């Protein structure tokens, strides 16, 4: 039901700043109620409000996977969630991010992505979508290669997109008073609506 979310009103910044200073089980356990009520609770309510339009979402666990990480800090210093029909939203001590696109492509998906980008019709459609997002002020990322991958020529008209190994767009806002109001919901939903064309292009190619 719409209207459950009314903003992050608690001291979530203090929780995250404290966790940055003392990233330990002792700290987290001592502040678990604050995490549940002032950090996770509002995120759950936000996603419930967005679900009718964007579908169910999955919230990240607070624990980091440290099995193969050099950094053994046990807890994430943000909270984030993904809605497959919308995108990504994350909150930390300093800001809120709303985003969309694809963060990961396996080898077959990446091959299909590059084939489509190189082709005139689908590649031209994608270039127009990305240009439109940039005109709206979004950051677009995922270009991880320095050179256009073979067999495509280095001067390919969409060489910038061919160098991507993932394709994401996002907007970040610094923490201001609106974070404690339902305006958060409107900002996130607008970002996800603006990226619907990109998500649809990627889904038709990668999920079909």
């Amino acid at each position: 039901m719409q209207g459950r979310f009314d903003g992050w009103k608690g001291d979530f910044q203090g929780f995250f700043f404290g966790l940055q200073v003392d990233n330990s089980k002792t700290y987290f356990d001592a502040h678990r109620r604050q995490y549940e009520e002032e950090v996770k609770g509002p995120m759950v309510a936000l996603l419930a409000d967005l679900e009718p339009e964007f579908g169910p979402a999955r919230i990240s666990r607070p624990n980091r996977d440290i099995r193969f990480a050099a950094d053994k800090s046990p807890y994430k210093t943000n909270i984030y969630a993904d809605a497959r029909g919308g995108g990504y939203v994350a909150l930390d001590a300093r800001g809120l991010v709303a985003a969309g696109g694809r963060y990961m492509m396996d080898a077959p998906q990446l091959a299909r992505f590059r084939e489509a980008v190189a082709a005139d019709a689908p590649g031209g459609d994608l270039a127009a979508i990305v240009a439109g997002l940039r005109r709206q002020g979004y950051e677009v990322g995922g270009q991880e290669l320095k050179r256009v991958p073979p067999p495509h020529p280095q001067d390919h008209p969409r060489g910038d997109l061919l160098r991507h190994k993932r394709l994401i767009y996002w907007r970040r806002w610094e923490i201001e008073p609106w974070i404690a109001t339902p305006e958060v919901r409107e900002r996130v939903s607008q970002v996800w609506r603006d990226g619907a064309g990109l998500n649809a292009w990627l889904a038709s190619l990668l999920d079909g």
Side-chain angles (χ1 to χ4, degrees), residues 38-116:
E38 299 181 1
V39 178
K40 183 178 178 181
M43 178 67 85
V44 170
L46 172 64
L47 297 172
D49 279 4
L50 295 173
E51 184 171 352
E53 182 173 355
F54 300 105
R58 181 179 60 85
I59 299 178
S60 64
R61 290 169 48 86
N63 307 80
R64 296 179 63 245
D65 184 352
I66 60 175
R67 290 173 297 172
F68 307 108
D71 178 4
K72 298 301 182 182
S73 302
Y75 296 101
K76 298 166 185 168
T77 55
N78 69 350
I79 185 171
Y80 59 86
D82 287 287
R84 190 59 181 271
Y88 171 89
V89 58
L91 178 77
D92 61 27
R94 301 188 183 279
L96 181 79
V97 174
R102 287 297 174 96
Y103 291 83
M104 296 181 62
M105 299 185 205
D106 60 27
Q109 289 175 329
L110 186 57
R112 294 200 298 273
F113 172 80
R114 289 175 177 164
E115 181 180 0

Side-chain angles (χ1 to χ4, degrees), residues 10 64 82 94 113 116 126 133-134 152 167 169 174 202:
R64 296 179 63 245
D82 287 287
R94 301 188 183 279
F113 172 80
L126 179 61
L133 287 169
R134 286 184 169 135
H152 311 291
L167 185 55
Y169 75 98
E174 297 303 309
L202 291 165

Side-chain angles (χ1 to χ4, degrees), residues 192-204:
W192 290 358
R193 290 176 193 132
D194 289 344
L198 176 61
N199 289 337
W201 191 96
L202 291 165
S204 67

Side-chain angles (χ1 to χ4, degrees), residues 180-195:
T181 76
E183 184 180 335
V184 174
R185 182 177 60 229
E186 308 313 316
R187 293 191 183 210
V188 173
S189 60
Q190 189 59 58
V191 170
W192 290 358
R193 290 176 193 132
D194 289 344

